[in-house]
Amino acid sequence: MIQPDEVPPTARGTNLYIADINLQRLLERRAPEELQRHEDRLADFGAWAGGPLDEQAEYTDRHANPQHVPQPYGPNGPQPGHIVFNPRYLACHAEAYARGAVGLPYQKGASGRHLACFTMGYLLSQADVSIHCPVTMTGAVAHVLNTVAPRELRDRFLHDLTRMDGQALSGGTWATELHGGSDVGATTTRAVKTGEAWALHGLKWFTSNAGSGLALATARPNGAPTGGKGLGCYLVPSHLEGGEPNAYSVRRLKEKVGTRGLATAELDLNGATAFEVAGPGEGLKVMMAALEYSRIHNAVASAGLLRRAFVESLGWSAHRAAFGQTVIHYPMVQDQLLDMQMELEAAVALSFESVFAFDALATGALATGALATGASDPEQGGDWLRLVTALAKYRTADQAVKACRTAVEMVGGNGYTEEFPTARLYRDCLVTAVWEGPANIQALELLRLVSGKRPGDQIFLGRVGAALSDLPPQAGDTADLLEGGLEECRAALSHLRRNPDQAPRHGRRLLDLLSDTLATALLCEEAVADLKLGDSRKMLVANRFAARVLAHHNPIATEMEPALAAFEDVILYQPVG
C-alpha cells in the first residue's frame, strides 16, 4: 500500500525536475548529450521553480496583480502613465532569464539546441504561467532576430534578450488587433518610413507582457496591398537610444480569468519608432515563425500544467483520509489518477517531439540518431515541425484543461478555493487553449500540410509506421490498435487528398485522429526502449492509452452528418421535416 511519506502532499517545496522521473528518462533516451550538458542547471531550476517561484506566483496572483497608473497631465502635456508590478514578480522574471530560460542556446560554446530552454518552460509553467508566457515571447523574438532579421538588427538587439547577467530585456509579439486575433492579415496598424526607421500608428488590442523591452509588431506600410502579403514585421523597443520612452501608451490593462500576474494591455501606437525586420511579402512569415516558436512553448507549458495537476491530485489522495482510509486506495480514485498520468506522459511525449523537431531543423540534425524525426531534408523537416507542433499544441492544451478541472474535483471544495493551488492552476490553464491560435487555427494549419501542396501526410504516416514496425509481440492489442489507427489515418488523409473541398468540414476530427495516433506511437516508442531495459511499466501506460483513447474514433466519411447538414434549422430551433 502507498504510504503518505512516499508522496509529497503538494508540489510546493519540491524539486520539480528531480521529482519528474518520466521527464528525465525521456531526456536520457532522446538527448543524452544535452542532458549531460545541462542536468545540474535543470535540477537547480527545478528547485527554484518549486520553491521561491511558486511562492511568488501565488502571492502575485492573489494580492499583487499589475496595475496601470494613468498620468493624464505632466509638465509637457498628456503622459502615457505606467504599469506597477509586484517587485517579487519582477525579480523572479529577471531570474528566469539569468538562469538561461532564453539565453542558453546563444552563449559561447553552446550547442545551439533549445531543448534546455523548452524544458525550463515545462518547469516554469508548473509554478507560474505568468512568467512562462513572457519567457516564451522573449524566446520567440530572440529566435527571429537570430535567424531572419537583418544583421545590423541582430547585432544591435539580440544580446539584450539573451544575456544571462540578470539585465536581459523581455520580448513581446504584437499581432492581435480589435477586429480579431487570428486574422492577422487584416492588420490595420500603419507603418510610415522615417529615415532609417519607421513610425507605427494603430491599436494593438491584446499585448501580453506589456512591459516588454523589445516587441515584434505587424504593420502595413503606406501603399502596401491588403491582406497578409502587405504586412511588414517591425521591432519596437520600449525606450529609444537616449533613454526616453517610445511613443506608445497603455490604454488599459485586460482583466483576465487567469495569468493575472502578467500585464496584458491594449496599446496605442502613436508614431512609435520601429525597425524593419521584414517588409511586405515576408513580414507575416516572420511573425508566424515567432508564433510557431511560441506554440512549441505552449505545448510544453500545457504538459507542465498536466504534471502539476497530477502531482496535486496524487498528493491530496495520498494524504486525505475519508471513510476509514486514505483516498488513494479507492478504486475510482486510482482509475482517475492512472488516466491523469497516462495523459500526462502522452503530453510530454507529444510536446517534446515538437521540441526535438525544432532542434533537428535548427541544427541540421534531421533523421540522425537521437534527433530522428522521420524527415530527411530541411524542407521536410520544416513540414514535420509545423505538423507536429499543430498536433501537440492542440492536444496538450485540451488535455491540460481537463486535467486541471479534474484536480479541482479531486481535492473537492478546498480545491475550489484560492488557498489551494488547484484554483489558480485551473484559471491559468485556460490560456493554453487560445494562446497562439485555438483549435480551429491548428486544424487549418494541419490541413495546409496534409491536403494541400505539402507532403505532410506522407511524413506523418512514415513517422507512425516506423514506431509500429518496432513493436514487439508482447505489445498485443496495442499493436493492433495502433495499426488500425494508422490505417484510419491513411484512409482519412487519402480521402481528403481526393476531396479537398471536404477538408474544412473534417479539420477538427482529423486533428483529433492524428494527434491521438501520434501520441500512441510515441508512447509505444518509449515503451519499446524501456522493454529493452527489462521495464514494462511504460508498455502498461501505452496499452491503457491505446485502449482508452485510440479505440474510439469514428471514420471520416463522405456523407455529411445529418445534424450538420441541417445546421441552421437545428441551431435556431426550426422544425425539420
Side-chain angles (χ1 to χ4, degrees):
M1 294 180 65
I2 295 177
Q3 300 300 316
D5 60 1
E6 296 181 272
V7 179
T10 180
R12 171 73 63 79
T14 67
N15 186 312
L16 301 183
Y17 175 78
I18 295 298
D20 197 336
I21 296 172
N22 180 63
L23 172 66
Q24 293 171 47
R25 288 182 176 173
L26 175 69
L27 299 180
E28 287 170 1
R29 184 171 67 85
R30 295 292 298 268
E33 293 181 359
E34 283 297 287
L35 178 61
Q36 184 177 12
R37 182 191 297 261
H38 296 299
E39 187 165 26
D40 290 344
R41 184 184 296 274
L42 291 174
D44 288 343
F45 197 94
W48 172 69
L53 178 63
D54 193 57
E55 293 172 6
Q56 171 277 135
E58 179 187 359
Y59 182 83
T60 300
D61 179 78
R62 295 183 66 188
H63 306 298
N65 292 177
Q67 301 293 321
H68 177 226
V69 180
Q71 294 177 336
Y73 296 100
N76 299 311
Q79 300 296 301
H82 62 282
I83 303 172
V84 177
F85 294 90
N86 173 21
R88 291 173 64 188
Y89 173 87
L90 293 177
C92 282
H93 193 182
E95 187 163 354
Y97 300 117
R99 289 177 174 272
V102 170
L104 275 181
Y106 304 96
Q107 304 308 303
K108 185 177 180 181
S111 68
R113 296 177 183 171
H114 291 243
L115 173 61
C117 293
F118 286 119
T119 303
M120 289 180 182
Y122 167 79
L123 299 171
L124 271 175
S125 69
Q126 296 178 45
D128 193 358
V129 179
S130 291
I131 284 180
H132 176 254
C133 177
V135 164
T136 291
M137 290 186 290
T138 305
V141 177
H143 171 59
V144 164
L145 285 176
N146 186 54
T147 56
V148 299
R151 181 174 180 177
E152 59 271 20
L153 285 187
R154 181 173 68 249
D155 292 345
R156 179 176 174 182
F157 291 109
L158 181 60
H159 174 70
D160 291 334
L161 295 170
T162 59
R163 59 196 298 177
M164 292 172 54
D165 58 359
Q167 302 300 314
L169 298 179
S170 63
T173 48
W174 300 349
T176 304
E177 297 195 354
L178 179 59
H179 61 268
S182 299
D183 188 8
V184 179
T187 290
T188 60
T189 299
R190 295 182 299 108
V192 179
K193 195 78 168 72
T194 58
E196 295 183 358
W198 295 75
L200 303 189
H201 302 266
L203 169 65
K204 294 299 184 181
W205 186 248
F206 203 96
T207 61
S208 292
N209 194 28
S212 64
L214 287 167
L216 290 175
T218 49
R220 194 180 312 279
N222 288 339
T226 60
K229 293 182 179 179
L231 294 183
C233 185
Y234 303 87
L235 186 68
V236 188
S238 62
H239 291 76
L240 305 181
E241 286 195 61
E244 63 271 26
N246 206 344
Y248 62 81
S249 59
V250 174
R251 179 177 291 188
R252 62 168 181 160
L253 295 184
K254 299 289 192 181
E255 296 184 20
K256 299 170 295 179
V257 174
T259 59
R260 294 176 179 173
L262 174 67
T264 301
E266 298 167 17
L267 288 185
D268 285 304
L269 304 178
N270 308 309
T273 297
F275 303 95
E276 186 179 76
V277 178
E282 296 295 325
L284 183 56
K285 294 179 184 178
V286 169
M287 181 59 81
M288 291 311 299
L291 298 184
E292 183 176 78
Y293 189 96
S294 294
R295 284 173 180 170
I296 301 172
H297 257 300
N298 195 103
V300 296
S302 298
L305 287 160
L306 272 157
R307 170 70 185 171
R308 181 68 186 266
F310 171 70
V311 169
E312 296 300 334
S313 299
L314 178 63
W316 178 265
S317 301
H319 290 266
R320 176 69 167 178
F323 308 108
Q325 62 178 341
T326 49
V327 173
I328 198 170
H329 296 111
Y330 290 106
M332 285 187 289
V333 172
Q334 293 176 354
D335 202 46
Q336 282 184 295
L337 289 172
L338 284 174
D339 278 349
M340 293 180 77
Q341 187 181 50
M342 168 191 83
E343 287 291 354
L344 161 63
E345 295 185 27
V348 171
L350 194 55
S351 61
F352 276 84
E353 181 70 14
S354 68
V355 173
F356 295 129
F358 178 89
D359 274 350
L361 187 64
T363 61
L366 293 168
T368 60
L371 287 178
T373 63
S376 57
D377 61 63
E379 189 171 10
Q380 281 195 355
D383 289 340
W384 175 244
L385 173 61
R386 289 172 58 190
L387 193 155
V388 71
T389 298
L391 297 178
K393 194 277 179 190
Y394 161 68
R395 195 183 197 286
T396 57
D398 186 56
Q399 292 302 320
V401 173
K402 293 177 182 177
C404 293
R405 186 199 66 81
T406 299
V408 172
E409 178 188 348
M410 292 281 280
V411 178
N414 284 323
Y416 189 65
T417 69
E418 297 294 347
E419 296 178 3
F420 283 72
T422 45
R424 174 168 60 91
L425 192 67
Y426 186 44
R427 288 189 286 101
D428 283 355
C429 79
L430 297 175
V431 74
T432 63
V434 297
W435 187 26
E436 311 304 19
N440 287 344
I441 295 301
Q442 307 311 315
L444 291 174
E445 172 77 341
L446 175 63
L447 291 174
R448 282 190 287 268
L449 293 163
V450 302
S451 63
K453 297 180 180 180
R454 312 306 307 168
D457 49 347
Q458 297 308 310
I459 300 172
F460 175 87
L461 295 172
R463 182 71 178 89
V464 175
L468 176 63
S469 66
D470 287 339
L471 280 176
Q474 56 262 53
D477 291 344
T478 296
D480 293 338
L481 287 168
L482 182 56
E483 183 174 13
L486 178 60
E487 289 309 309
E488 188 178 340
C489 291
R490 193 187 312 278
L493 292 167
S494 177
H495 175 77
L496 295 181
R497 281 287 183 192
R498 296 191 308 269
N499 303 278
D501 58 308
Q502 295 183 18
R505 176 155 56 93
H506 294 301
R508 285 288 293 268
R509 294 176 65 192
L510 189 68
L511 199 63
D512 278 318
L513 173 60
L514 267 60
S515 62
D516 288 350
T517 303
L518 181 58
T520 305
L522 295 173
L523 287 174
C524 286
E525 280 189 345
E526 294 182 7
V528 169
D530 285 354
L531 283 173
K532 293 176 181 178
L533 301 175
D535 183 1
S536 61
R537 178 200 165 276
K538 182 69 78 168
M539 196 74 246
L540 293 176
V541 175
N543 291 344
R544 184 181 181 91
F545 188 88
R548 293 206 166 210
V549 174
L550 197 57
H552 302 291
H553 283 278
N554 296 318
I556 289 176
T558 302
E559 298 79 15
M560 185 178 291
E561 194 270 325
L564 186 59
F567 172 77
E568 292 185 8
D569 291 333
V570 173
I571 211 74
L572 296 176
Y573 293 92
Q574 299 298 315
V576 178

